[in-house]
Amino acid sequence: MIRVVLFDLDGVIRHFDPQYAADVESRHGLPGGTLEGIAFARPLIDAVTTGRISRAEWIRQVGDRAGDVLAAEEWGSQPAYLDVAVLELAGEVRSLGLRTAVLTNGTDTIPAEVAALGIAERFDAIFNSADIGFAKPDVRAFRHVCEALDAAPDEVFFTDDSASKLVGADSLSMHTHLFEGVEGLRARLTATGVRV
């Protein structure tokens, strides 16, 4: 029986406009995809999402490698918007007496970002890989969540917009769902016995 519904943050609850990055690169004369190609390449992304470097240092290194620190800083301040329908669904889940939580591959600024978004009170817990020291799909990140919430893996339903991030949860026998929209998520929850 599902006792916890665990959500990814970016790509599920919080979204960014891909055109923003393209516009920054265009204004700075950088080839399309340069900044994200550097920012999300290993080992740099692993260093920031496991707390070994700060977000500020991550942005600085992206700028250094791109040859344009100002472009990187502008890219790093891109606005985000919330998926209201997902937040409403999370509220429905809580109204059933289940716990809801977030597990994000984040940086040291996630607490401030969550506060600015005003979503902390909508979930029972928010887990940040930079605090845990392990990032999805590392099974240790998922084990940390289960231990903190006192839930067995098979009592947890996890949704993420990246199939690769589901692997660690799958290996622990969590219920998983590749997020492609709120209606699909609702249908999958219902199929696993969460009557939303």
Side-chain angles (χ1 to χ4, degrees):
M1 188 174 75
I2 304 297
R3 294 177 51 223
V4 175
V5 177
L6 183 64
F7 297 81
D8 176 34
L9 179 61
D10 293 330
V12 177
I13 296 168
R14 177 173 69 171
H15 302 278
F16 298 94
D17 181 358
Q19 189 59 45
Y20 181 91
D23 290 346
V24 169
E25 290 166 335
S26 177
R27 283 194 299 276
H28 289 267
L30 295 171
T34 296
L35 296 172
E36 290 187 356
I38 295 168
F40 298 117
R42 301 178 84 172
L44 187 57
I45 189 64
D46 294 333
V48 72
T49 58
T50 57
R52 297 196 304 274
I53 64 172
S54 67
R55 188 177 192 281
E57 174 62 16
W58 177 55
I59 297 295
R60 188 193 66 74
Q61 288 195 35
V62 171
D64 286 349
R65 295 176 192 191
D68 194 326
V69 173
L70 291 178
E73 289 175 352
E74 190 177 342
W75 170 80
S77 64
Q78 60 187 292
Y81 64 94
L82 294 171
D83 191 322
V84 175
V86 171
L87 291 173
E88 289 174 350
L89 179 59
E92 291 178 47
V93 169
R94 285 181 97 184
S95 73
L96 297 173
L98 280 68
R99 300 175 79 184
T100 60
V102 172
L103 173 60
T104 183
N105 280 0
T107 73
D108 61 318
T109 61
I110 283 293
E113 292 169 34
V114 166
L117 292 168
I119 61 171
E121 67 280 359
R122 292 176 175 260
F123 297 92
D124 295 295
I126 295 180
F127 298 96
N128 177 11
S129 64
D131 296 328
I132 297 169
F134 304 107
K136 299 173 292 183
D138 193 319
V139 295
R140 292 171 290 186
F142 295 103
R143 285 191 185 120
H144 176 90
V145 169
C146 289
E147 289 170 8
L149 296 178
D150 192 25
D154 64 359
E155 295 175 321
V156 179
F157 178 106
F158 173 59
T159 186
D160 198 297
D161 66 318
S162 172
S164 66
K165 302 298 190 301
L166 299 175
V167 174
D170 283 330
S171 72
L172 293 175
S173 299
M174 283 185 177
H175 301 265
T176 60
H177 172 73
L178 179 62
F179 181 84
E180 296 176 321
V182 70
E183 290 311 316
L185 174 56
R186 182 182 294 277
R188 182 73 179 125
L189 281 166
T190 300
T192 56
V194 180
R195 302 296 180 185
V196 287

